[in-house]
Each structure stands twice: as C-alpha cells, then as structure tokens.
Amino acid sequence: MRKRVVILGSTGSIGTSALTVARQIPDRMEIVGLAAGTRVEELDEQAKEFGVSQLCLADESRVSELEGAGRKVYSGEQGLTDLIEATRPDLVLVAIVGVGGLRPTLAAIELGCDIAVASKEILVMAGEVVMNAAREKGVAILPVDSEHNAIFQCLEGHRGGPEEVSRLIVTASGGPFRTLPKERLIDVKLEDALKHPTWEMGQKITIDSATLFNKGLEMIEARWLFDIPMERIDVVVHPQSIVHSMVEFIDGSILAQMSTTDMCFPIQYAVVWPQRLANKLKPLDFPTLAKLDFEAPRVDDFPAINLARQAGEKGGTLPGVLNAANEVANEAFRKRQLGFPGIWEVVEETMARVEHVDSQVLEVVVEADLAARRVAAEILSARS
Ligand code: MG
C-alpha cells in the first residue's frame, strides 16, 4: 500500500529525514501535504520535487511567495488543520517543535488519520487526551523518536497486557557533558552544548540532550504511549546510541532494538508499519562496534530526570508546565541570557510556582503552557 502522508515541519531535521525516506521508498510513500514555519525557499523546493500542491506556512506574511501554479497555501496554526482536512492523508507526521502541533494532531485523529509523532510536546502536554482520542477513533500513534520507536518495536507481537512489562529502559547518549565534573557545568558555553556526540539535530533538542531534559520529556512520552507508570520507566546512559531502548518483561527477559544512528530507520518503520521493507540504510556491524557501554545517569548532577519523573507521576498540567518552562529556559541559554545550570533552576522554580490542574483537556493544557511561559519569563528577568 502506498501511504498518503502529510508532513508538519517538513524543513526541520525530522522533516528532511522523512523526505529522504520518501525518496528511497516512492512506491510506499506519497507526500500529499507539506507544512513549514518560515523557510519559504526550502518549502518551495520540496513542493516542486515531490509535486505537492497543498502547503502550509506558519508565517502568514510570506504566503504570497509560495502561491501560484495550482497551489493552495494555508497559513498560521489553523492552516495546519486546514491542510489535513483538505488532503485527508493516511498518515500525518507531526514534527513541529512546540505546542503548535497539538491542535492539528487532535484534528487529524478526529478525521481517522494515523499519527507518526515526532513532536515531544504532544505527548508530554496532553498524552492522556491524545492516546484516549486515538483509542476511541481506532487510529495508530506511531512514535518516530528513536527511543519510543524502539520500545514500540520491542512490544510489537507481545500478546499480553502492560502488566507483563516490568520496565521500559530508555537509553540516553548522556550528551556532551556526560563525564564533565559537576563543578564545571556552571562554565558550559553554548558552543560546547551544541556539540552532540552521536545525533545531528536541531539546536533546541541538542541543548535538551545536554541538560537531559530531552530524556525527561521522553520518559513522560513513554508513560502515555505505552501506558506504563513512571516508576517502571528507567533511563540508562549508553554513549554509542546503538541500542535505542529496551523492554524488560516480568520473566526477566529483555528485548532491545538496535541500528546505526540514522532517523531514517524509525521514520521508515512508522511509514510502512505494520510491515517491514528492505532498504539501503547502513547495517550494524558488530565486530566493528566491538563493545556497547552502559552506565547510570547522573541524576543528582543533571536534575532534569527527577523533575520529569515528578511531573510524569503527578500528571495533569505539570508535564506541560515542565515543557514550557524548559522551552523558555532553553531559549534563554541559546541567547546567552542564562547559564547552563540555570536551565534546571528555572524549570524547577516554574514547576513550583504555576498552579496545578489535574486535567489534560486542550484548553487547560494550553492555559497552563501560557502560565508557565509567563512565570518562567518572570523568573528569568528577576535573575538578570
Ligand atoms: Mg530521542
């Protein structure tokens, strides 16, 4: 079957990898809609290459640059939903950073489209609501993040319930400061934090990998995706990023998913699921790898993991508050307005200050997101 796919966030890191996959498996993947934020020229080139006439650009002021030649160009956040409604795809790949992906995702589920989810915010802020909606509509939520895709693959074919899963073991590269002594974290520069040892990604997520907030967000996502309580979600540092995550069952057996570090693996899997398809991606060569290392994460020196655990256990608006505060703090660090350990401090203080609501309905999480951004900005300006 050739799947009709819409990509939200087509010019970002995941979006461009998805188009690489589309070039490799044209018989199985047809791009019917593309959405980008501001990169007009890149979106225009992508639309030409893949013959896509339905587009969306977040930046409304530049829509006219794309129009013409039988194209329909939607804009703004509503435009994402319009694009999905107009194209009625089999699969929507949601790969936009931030809260903007949530509303179109819920709209796509309502229309019966399967969702390949790469945007962390969707499951962090509203995992409960999204998974419930998906169950109700009978649509699949296919994780594209390498860790969740790995767990998804390890659970495929498992006929028992979640009670037979004793632990999800999420692997972490440990980021560029895995071995840096705690007292030197205060001196970390932006340039150092942007050097990720194994994955090439956008700047925001690269900083999140350095603070381990990326792993914290992934723990919360896993909690909802696989319906496993937080206390059964563990993190292990694995610097080579070959084992993408593991599932431990109650009989003590552990299944792991491995591949070279290339996002084309999880993206292709999500697109051709529930089948598999041969490809030309680089296979693993165990003798060359020689060894795989594992170690405990430094949870006391990198507080992101425990903050995420706390948010995931409490649920409601707290995970969304953590996410929003982290976005604000991450951006302040990238603008050199905040030191590296300050990212954790701003998030922790914001989580303590924003009023908690025990609900994840859309209006509530959007409100909590805004409140967290306000509070985090206040904390930042009080610090400077
Ligand atoms: Mg990941």
Side-chain angles (χ1 to χ4, degrees):
M1 173 189 167
R2 192 172 189 221
K3 276 192 195 160
R4 301 174 67 251
V5 180
V6 164
I7 302 177
L8 307 184
S10 65
T11 58
S13 166
I14 295 289
T16 50
S17 292
L19 291 176
T20 302
V21 172
R23 277 181 207 105
Q24 290 163 354
I25 56 167
D27 298 346
R28 300 295 292 272
M29 184 174 180
E30 178 188 1
I31 308 295
V32 296
L34 293 167
T38 54
R39 294 184 204 160
V40 177
E41 291 80 11
E42 277 176 74
L43 181 59
D44 183 48
E45 273 169 37
Q46 291 176 345
K48 280 181 189 144
E49 180 185 350
F50 291 92
V52 180
S53 60
Q54 311 255 18
L55 305 172
C56 179
L57 188 72
D59 183 354
E60 296 179 32
S61 66
R62 299 189 65 188
V63 163
S64 60
E65 294 173 48
L66 286 165
E67 278 169 338
R71 278 183 183 165
K72 175 74 193 161
V73 188
Y74 302 94
S75 70
E77 196 189 307
Q78 178 57 38
L80 297 171
T81 302
D82 296 340
L83 175 67
I84 293 163
E85 282 175 352
T87 49
R88 299 272 175 150
D90 301 307
L91 181 71
V92 178
L93 171 61
V94 188
I96 23 184
V97 175
V99 54
L102 186 51
R103 223 178 279 270
T105 298
L106 290 170
I109 291 171
E110 201 53 42
L111 287 171
C113 311
D114 285 342
I115 307 291
V117 58
S119 306
K120 297 207 151 61
E121 292 79 6
I122 292 167
L123 291 167
V124 169
M125 295 176 70
E128 194 175 6
V129 166
V130 168
M131 294 310 288
N132 284 342
R135 256 188 298 274
E136 217 166 87
K137 285 280 164 187
V139 309
I141 304 291
L142 302 157
V144 164
D145 208 350
S146 60
E147 293 80 358
H148 305 94
N149 191 270
I151 293 169
F152 188 90
Q153 292 196 40
C154 293
L155 288 171
E156 278 277 271
H158 172 64
R159 285 154 194 251
E163 70 283 356
E164 289 180 7
V165 172
S166 58
R167 273 193 304 161
L168 303 182
I169 306 167
V170 180
T171 54
S173 72
F177 311 128
R178 180 172 60 87
T179 59
L180 193 72
K182 182 184 167 74
E183 60 277 10
R184 288 185 51 203
L185 288 170
I186 187 103
D187 302 318
V188 159
K189 298 279 174 291
L190 178 61
E191 293 70 22
D192 308 322
L194 286 176
K195 284 179 202 140
H196 193 274
T198 47
W199 291 102
E200 254 185 62
M201 306 172 289
Q203 285 208 355
K204 194 263 177 184
I205 186 172
T206 303
I207 302 302
D208 281 345
S209 298
T211 57
L212 295 193
F213 266 119
N214 182 52
K215 212 46 56 181
L217 296 171
E218 289 177 356
M219 292 164 72
I220 299 171
E221 286 180 271
R223 190 259 167 276
W224 296 115
L225 263 171
F226 306 110
D227 195 20
I228 298 288
M230 276 317 266
E231 68 262 22
R232 277 156 56 200
I233 300 175
D234 275 358
V235 173
V236 67
V237 172
H238 166 44
Q240 293 94 349
S241 301
I242 295 295
V243 174
H244 298 303
S245 279
M246 298 176 264
V247 174
E248 182 190 73
F249 294 92
I250 49 174
D251 60 0
S253 281
I254 294 178
L255 297 187
Q257 186 266 339
M258 295 178 241
S259 73
T260 48
T261 52
D262 185 338
M263 285 308 290
C264 291
F265 282 100
I267 293 168
Q268 178 187 309
Y269 186 80
V271 172
V272 305
W273 176 86
Q275 294 168 310
R276 289 190 184 264
L277 188 68
N279 59 31
K280 295 197 168 62
L281 298 174
K282 191 170 164 236
L284 268 187
D285 179 59
F286 283 96
T288 314
L289 282 175
K291 66 171 186 163
L292 299 173
D293 296 302
F294 298 94
E295 61 195 44
R298 292 163 59 197
V299 290
D300 294 329
D301 300 344
F302 293 75
I305 298 233
N306 284 339
L307 290 171
R309 195 173 282 290
Q310 187 193 328
E313 272 164 10
K314 184 138 185 171
T317 50
L318 198 56
V321 167
L322 172 140
N323 172 66
N326 176 53
E327 268 186 44
V328 173
N330 178 309
E331 189 187 355
F333 174 73
R334 280 182 282 139
K335 289 181 172 166
R336 301 175 202 273
Q337 294 159 352
L338 181 68
F340 188 73
I343 303 176
W344 298 311
E345 291 158 16
V346 169
V347 173
E348 185 171 12
E349 205 180 325
T350 307
M351 285 169 68
R353 276 175 48 179
V354 175
E355 198 190 337
H356 183 257
V357 184
D358 193 19
S359 163
Q360 289 194 348
V361 299
L362 187 67
E363 297 73 24
V364 171
V365 296
V366 168
E367 182 51 46
D369 175 84
L370 293 172
R373 282 166 205 277
R374 258 193 321 268
V375 170
E378 278 165 28
I379 294 166
L380 276 172
S381 65
R383 289 170 67 108
S384 62

